[in-house]
Amino acid sequence: MDVMDRKIIALLQAEGRITLTDLADKVRLSVSRCQRRVRELEAAGVIRGYRAVVDAAAVGFGFEVLVFATLSRPDAVTEFDVALADVPEVIEAQRLFGEPDYLIRVVTADLPSYQQLYESVLIHLPGVRSLNSTIVMKHAVHPRPLPERPSREGGASPAYRA
């Protein structure tokens, strides 16, 4: 991945609906060369898809919970992953090192609907030993594009170093 690929990625993250012509113009490539690079990034799995950013509350999912899950046994991971993927209210989940085993983002309409989901689905997921729920009060930083390049020196990005 070179500087040009990073520029293309940065622009597509900021403007997912940008036309190929506009993208090529902004990165100063011909349309055909830009299209080839975008296709290569897609084929390599660097660009995994395109989607709209939706306000969850505006479509009825105004209640968000972070759930920390600890499994009762290590061999339950695969079965837990499969079952978790089948829960539509789970919008994101990460497997963690140590305890807890998972961090899970869940959205529902309100507290009663979360309680219903918790009691009827979440506590019955395979291998669950314990769940700890934390209600999201507000998003201090909304999901955003990745930085243009990873820091190799450790610490903060160059813009925040003293």
Side-chain angles (χ1 to χ4, degrees):
M1 179 168 314
D2 62 13
V3 172
M4 185 59 63
D5 288 336
R6 292 187 185 282
K7 286 180 182 178
I8 290 170
I9 291 166
L11 284 164
L12 286 173
Q13 286 185 105
E15 300 177 61
R17 292 180 57 138
I18 190 171
T19 67
L20 197 53
T21 303
D22 288 342
L23 178 62
D25 186 51
K26 288 186 178 192
V27 297
R28 299 179 189 262
L29 285 176
S30 69
V31 173
S32 62
R33 289 192 60 184
C34 184
Q35 182 179 36
R36 181 181 51 80
R37 282 182 176 260
V38 169
R39 285 186 178 155
E40 288 172 357
L41 290 166
E42 291 169 346
V46 174
I47 297 174
R48 296 188 347 216
Y50 303 88
R51 54 181 78 164
V53 178
V54 177
D55 181 327
V59 294
F61 294 99
F63 195 76
E64 184 174 337
V65 180
L66 299 177
V67 181
F68 298 93
T70 301
L71 301 184
S72 59
R73 56 189 204 287
D75 64 339
V77 169
T78 303
E79 191 180 1
F80 182 82
D81 286 351
V82 170
L84 194 61
D86 287 338
V87 181
E89 294 86 355
V90 171
I91 60 170
E92 188 177 6
Q94 288 92 25
R95 175 86 162 96
L96 308 174
F97 278 107
E99 283 194 26
D101 295 306
Y102 286 84
L103 170 60
I104 306 162
R105 278 182 65 205
V106 176
V107 293
T108 63
D110 50 27
L111 179 58
S113 59
Y114 174 68
Q115 181 180 352
Q116 173 67 27
L117 177 72
Y118 182 92
E119 292 173 352
S120 65
V121 177
L122 298 179
I123 61 172
H124 299 291
L125 290 170
V128 169
R129 181 177 80 205
S130 67
L131 298 174
N132 185 352
S133 303
T134 301
I135 298 170
V136 174
M137 186 180 339
K138 80 172 198 175
H139 287 267
V141 177
H142 290 276
R144 59 184 173 196
L146 295 171
E148 193 166 324
R149 70 176 53 243
S151 171
R152 299 280 185 218
E153 302 166 13
S157 67
Y160 296 103
R161 291 193 187 119

